[in-house]
Amino acid sequence: MLVGDVLAGMTAAVTHAARTGRAVPDARSSSPATCGACGAGAAWHRTVRGRWVMIEPGELPARVVPAGRRWRVAGDGTAVNLGPAVPSDTCRVSHFDVCPGRPAPTGSPVLLALWRGHARRVP
Ligand SMILES: [Zn+2]
């Protein structure tokens, strides 16, 4: 494919988005990723503060996740740290809290179990 064709396609996509009011995929949507430290699959999400965090797939019961490590992914893909709040029964966790490339998490048997599960897969 010629570069000109690619540019034309991009312009068409942006024009279409502008006309329909629908957002083109951007930094706020999640993007699948593989952790460079351990090879686990997770998804990058942008936080409300503009930082990026890898969120583990799947949900956990919020009560087994320590306050401050509970995350929620908003409808637009933004990752929100819940702090001590428990707005629902379940929450997500950051891969950074359970990555075997980092020190084992303390204070939560569930996070430690996830950390060990990832560690088992690392050669
Ligand atoms: Zn990792």
Side-chain angles (χ1 to χ4, degrees), residues 17 25 27 34 47 49 55 70 73 78-79 84-85 95 97 105:
T34 302
T47 70
R49 291 181 183 163
I55 298 290
R70 299 172 189 140
V73 174
T78 304
H95 177 70
D97 283 329

Side-chain angles (χ1 to χ4, degrees), residues 13-101:
V14 170
T15 306
H16 177 75
R19 199 169 53 235
T20 60
R22 283 179 51 206
V24 289
D26 67 6
R28 283 201 169 262
S29 57
S30 71
S31 53
T34 302
C35 177
C38 73
W44 284 112
H45 289 271
R46 205 168 88 155
T47 70
V48 285
R49 291 181 183 163
R51 292 169 55 202
W52 288 86
V53 62
M54 276 182 96
I55 298 290
E56 283 279 296
E59 305 207 323
L60 289 171
R63 61 189 157 75
V64 304
V65 179
R69 291 179 173 175
R70 299 172 189 140
W71 290 84
R72 188 171 67 85
V73 174
D76 66 353
T78 304
V80 181
N81 189 291
L82 298 174
V86 187
S88 65
D89 291 343
T90 59
C91 67
R92 308 285 295 271
V93 294
S94 164
H95 177 70
F96 300 146
D97 283 329
V98 297
C99 179

